[in-house]
Amino acid sequence: TKDINSFSLPHHPITIYDAPGLELSFLQSRITKFKLNQLIRYKNISSNPKKHIHIIWYFLSATSTKLEKAEEKWINELEKKSV
């Protein structure tokens, strides 16, 4: 995934967003985090809760043996956004 993409179907209440992984270069990781923060902020300021982002699934690489400190920090930052 090179950018944040959304997937939804008409008349279905779920939209799935796919974003680049944080295992990319430092710069790409910072850009992805910035874009995701903007998306969350934009969606969650709506007065319509159906437009809010309610859940985030964070996937770990199958080849990774542990959660990296940077990943843990990012997950904690997302938690503070009430997602």
Side-chain angles (χ1 to χ4, degrees):
T1 304
K2 292 185 179 187
D3 205 356
I4 300 171
N5 299 304
S6 65
F7 303 92
S8 59
L9 295 172
H11 312 295
H12 287 79
I14 296 174
T15 301
I16 296 174
Y17 295 93
D18 184 25
L22 299 182
E23 71 277 357
L24 301 172
S25 71
F26 177 77
L27 178 60
Q28 183 61 42
S29 178
R30 301 251 326 179
I31 291 169
T32 297
K33 288 179 182 181
F34 178 78
K35 288 181 178 181
L36 284 170
N37 281 326
Q38 283 185 314
L39 177 65
I40 293 166
R41 191 176 314 114
Y42 173 74
K43 291 293 188 177
N44 289 0
I45 63 170
S46 172
S47 60
N48 181 352
K50 290 182 179 183
K51 295 186 179 208
H52 293 189
I53 294 176
H54 298 282
I55 188 169
I56 294 176
W57 287 322
Y58 186 83
F59 294 93
L60 298 174
S61 170
T63 59
S64 177
T65 58
K66 64 180 182 166
L67 183 67
E68 298 292 334
K69 288 288 183 191
E71 293 172 313
E72 185 177 355
K73 181 180 176 189
W74 172 239
I75 292 168
N76 289 331
E77 289 172 11
L78 290 172
E79 183 180 17
K80 291 176 185 173
K81 296 178 187 318
S82 299
V83 178

